[in-house]
């Protein structure tokens, strides 16, 4: 049987002219590392779930991507993390949202799928469940990166009512979200 | 946002997505990533899908399940279904990307933004990493 792994690290205003060679090389290195990690897992006969979790953990641990360490900041200066996982064989699924102390949210989503009768848990309850499952919990400061913190300060300075896509493009900067007069800009 | 979709030696598919959300977001706003059927979906009959982009539009279009449904009910390929699902997002005014992998190992990675960090590895170990359009 074929075995294949595909990953993404986010979409948006990612332009070669804005990217310095060192930064581009760092992204390519981390994406390659995630692919290698997941490939080792499936080549070794483990499951696609194991490969998905292994690859995403690499990207969550890298400060380059908006997930886990390196996540963006909310208006209140917090890193609120979400994750989901789904098994194509059983249609089992697990998800968590709005957590701030779980080092690898994808592993918590998988624990919800495999160790509870639920599909989704949020906030403090999800963190309590993660602790019961012996997942690694960290101080919220673990997720801090200067670049994302500066991104929040910039957004607050430009207009504190606007949420920002982690790679929003010019189009999205002007798009008005009528309901809350809440523009999006990169 | 980061995501992965995989097909293993037993022929089983899986999908996963993890995110920090949006800068400066308020009120406990949650995007599509943790919503099964919106940002993340997997079904051995069709495909494994992980999305990235403007979450509100992916939730409203139920994008990840939409890709699977178009494959199951209309017999579209993973590439056709992913492209069509992304078109629906764009029509609503949203932007972003999708990675999808079907049960036969066919890959689709459409996106309607300037770039998307993405990559794949096949059973012979061949790794491809892309960033720009």
């Amino acid at each position: 049987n074929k075995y294949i792994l595909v990953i993404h690290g986010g979409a948006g205003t990612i332009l070669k002219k804005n990217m310095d060679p060192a930064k581009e090389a760092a992204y390519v290195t981390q994406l390659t590392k995630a692919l290698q990690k997941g490939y080792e897992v499936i080549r070794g006969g483990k499951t696609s779930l194991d490969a998905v979790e292994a690859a995403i953990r690499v990207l969550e641990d890298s400060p380059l991507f908006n997930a886990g360490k390196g996540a963006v900041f909310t208006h209140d200066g917090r890193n609120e993390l979400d994750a989901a996982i789904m098994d194509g064989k059983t249609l089992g699924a697990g998800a968590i949202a709005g957590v701030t102390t779980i080092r690898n949210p994808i592993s918590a989503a998988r624990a919800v799928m495999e160790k509870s009768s639920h599909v989704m848990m949020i906030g403090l309850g999800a963190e309590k469940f993660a602790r019961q499952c012996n997942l690694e919990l960290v101080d919220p400061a673990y997720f801090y990166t200067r670049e994302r913190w500066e991104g929040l300060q910039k957004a607050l300075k430009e207009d504190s009512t606007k949420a920002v896509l982690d790679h929003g493009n010019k189009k999205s900067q002007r798009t008005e979200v009528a309901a809350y007069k809440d523009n999006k800009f990169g | 946002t980061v995501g992965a979709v995989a097909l293993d030696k037993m022929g089983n598919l899986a999908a996963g997505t993890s995110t920090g959300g949006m800068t400066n977001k308020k009120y406990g706003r949650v995007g599509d990533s943790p919503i099964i059927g919106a940002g993340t979906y997997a079904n051995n009959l069709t495909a494994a899908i992980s999305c990235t982009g403007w979450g509100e539009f992916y939730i409203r279009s139920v994008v990840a399940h939409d890709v699977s449904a178009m494959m199951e009910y209309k017999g579209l390929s993973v590439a056709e279904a992913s492209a069509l699902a992304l078109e629906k997002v764009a029509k609503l005014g949203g932007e972003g990307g999708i990675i999808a992998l079907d049960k036969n190992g066919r890959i689709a990675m459409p996106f309607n933004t300037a770039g998307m960090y993405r990559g794949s590895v096949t059973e012979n170990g061949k790794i491809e990493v892309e960033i720009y359009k």
Side-chain angles (χ1 to χ4, degrees), chain A residues 1-6 35 38-40 42-44, chain B residues 7-9 101 103-107 120-128:
Chain A
N1 266 346
K2 279 191 177 183
Y3 48 97
I4 294 178
L5 170 68
V6 183
L35 288 165
Y39 176 69
E40 283 162 26
I42 29 177
R43 187 177 56 172
Chain B
L7 173 66
D8 62 30
K9 289 182 175 178
L101 175 64
K103 60 187 178 187
N104 300 308
R106 282 185 286 260
I107 299 171
S120 62
V121 57
T122 50
E123 70 263 30
N124 58 9
K126 181 170 177 281
I127 285 185
E128 292 188 23

Side-chain angles (χ1 to χ4, degrees), chain A residues 73 77-79 100-102 127 137-145:
Chain A
F73 284 91
R78 291 156 31 103
N79 302 109
T100 62
T101 61
I102 300 174
E127 292 177 338
L137 301 184
V138 294
D139 182 287
Y142 163 81
F143 300 106
Y144 171 93
T145 57

Side-chain angles (χ1 to χ4, degrees), chain A residues 24 39 43 60 162 184, chain B residues 9 18 24 54 123 132:
Chain A
E24 181 176 315
Y39 176 69
R43 187 177 56 172
E60 285 175 337
K162 297 173 185 170
K184 311 274 182 187
Chain B
K9 289 182 175 178
S18 181
N24 196 25
W54 200 334
E123 70 263 30
Y132 311 106

Side-chain angles (χ1 to χ4, degrees), chain B:
Chain B
T1 304
V2 302
V5 290
L7 173 66
D8 62 30
K9 289 182 175 178
M10 292 69 78
N12 294 318
L13 289 165
T17 313
S18 181
T19 187
M22 290 174 86
T23 302
N24 196 25
K25 70 175 185 163
K26 302 176 189 169
Y27 319 123
R29 176 265 184 193
V30 172
D32 62 305
S33 300
I35 311 289
I36 296 298
T40 308
Y41 189 75
N43 184 330
N44 273 10
L45 299 178
T46 52
I49 301 109
S50 174
C51 303
T52 173
W54 200 334
E56 279 71 8
F57 295 95
Y58 280 74
I59 294 173
R60 290 165 57 194
S61 300
V62 205
V63 170
H65 183 264
D66 195 29
V67 173
S68 172
M70 284 193 274
M71 294 176 69
E72 186 174 357
Y73 305 134
K74 295 180 76 169
L76 298 189
S77 70
V78 66
E80 291 165 332
S82 304
L84 215 46
L86 196 58
E87 257 179 55
K88 293 181 189 177
V89 170
K91 278 200 183 106
L92 287 179
E95 59 180 25
I98 297 171
I99 61 169
L101 175 64
D102 77 6
K103 60 187 178 187
N104 300 308
R106 282 185 286 260
I107 299 171
M109 297 194 269
F111 55 97
N112 61 14
T113 50
M116 177 163 79
Y117 298 112
R118 60 201 188 279
S120 62
V121 57
T122 50
E123 70 263 30
N124 58 9
K126 181 170 177 281
I127 285 185
E128 292 188 23
V129 170
E130 303 281 345
I131 295 178
Y132 311 106
K133 225 174 191 55

Side-chain angles (χ1 to χ4, degrees), chain A residues 75-128:
Chain A
H75 181 75
D76 303 328
R78 291 156 31 103
N79 302 109
E80 287 178 3
L81 311 174
D82 315 326
I85 195 164
M86 186 162 185
D87 179 353
K89 179 183 174 187
T90 64
L91 298 187
I96 57 156
V99 299
T100 62
T101 61
I102 300 174
R103 175 178 171 153
N104 292 106
I106 193 67
S107 298
R110 185 169 185 181
V112 172
M113 176 172 75
E114 296 179 335
K115 300 175 180 172
S116 89
S117 58
H118 304 305
V119 170
M120 188 170 199
M121 295 182 188
I122 65 170
L124 292 179
E127 292 177 338
K128 189 172 177 181

Side-chain angles (χ1 to χ4, degrees), chain A:
Chain A
N1 266 346
K2 279 191 177 183
Y3 48 97
I4 294 178
L5 170 68
V6 183
I7 63 173
H8 71 76
T13 314
I14 308 169
L15 297 163
K16 194 160 183 67
K17 65 182 166 70
N18 296 344
M19 184 83 82
D20 70 66
K23 186 100 179 188
E24 181 176 315
Y27 273 103
V28 171
T29 300
Q30 285 303 317
L31 290 165
T32 302
K33 187 178 163 192
L35 288 165
Q36 286 166 337
K37 189 77 180 172
Y39 176 69
E40 283 162 26
V41 166
I42 29 177
R43 187 177 56 172
K46 290 192 174 175
T47 66
S48 46
L49 278 171
D50 296 326
V52 161
E53 183 183 6
I56 288 179
R57 283 174 67 103
V58 170
L59 300 176
E60 285 175 337
D61 289 347
S62 164
L64 291 176
F65 301 94
N66 175 25
K69 187 167 181 64
V72 298
F73 284 91
T74 69
H75 181 75
D76 303 328
R78 291 156 31 103
N79 302 109
E80 287 178 3
L81 311 174
D82 315 326
I85 195 164
M86 186 162 185
D87 179 353
K89 179 183 174 187
T90 64
L91 298 187
I96 57 156
V99 299
T100 62
T101 61
I102 300 174
R103 175 178 171 153
N104 292 106
I106 193 67
S107 298
R110 185 169 185 181
V112 172
M113 176 172 75
E114 296 179 335
K115 300 175 180 172
S116 89
S117 58
H118 304 305
V119 170
M120 188 170 199
M121 295 182 188
I122 65 170
L124 292 179
E127 292 177 338
K128 189 172 177 181
F129 178 74
R131 187 180 303 112
Q132 284 174 6
C133 296
N134 299 313
L135 293 178
E136 185 177 355
L137 301 184
V138 294
D139 182 287
Y142 163 81
F143 300 106
Y144 171 93
T145 57
R146 187 174 51 81
E147 186 171 8
R148 295 300 196 182
W149 181 253
E150 289 172 355
L152 173 61
Q153 305 317 311
K154 182 168 175 277
L156 291 171
K157 198 178 301 164
E158 287 174 355
D159 183 332
S160 71
T161 65
K162 297 173 185 170
V164 182
L165 286 168
D166 46 331
H167 307 292
N169 71 14
K170 287 283 168 264
K171 178 168 72 76
S172 67
Q173 291 179 13
R174 287 188 302 279
T175 307
E176 192 75 19
V177 177
Y180 299 107
K181 285 279 168 278
D182 197 1
N183 297 334
K184 311 274 182 187
F185 58 94

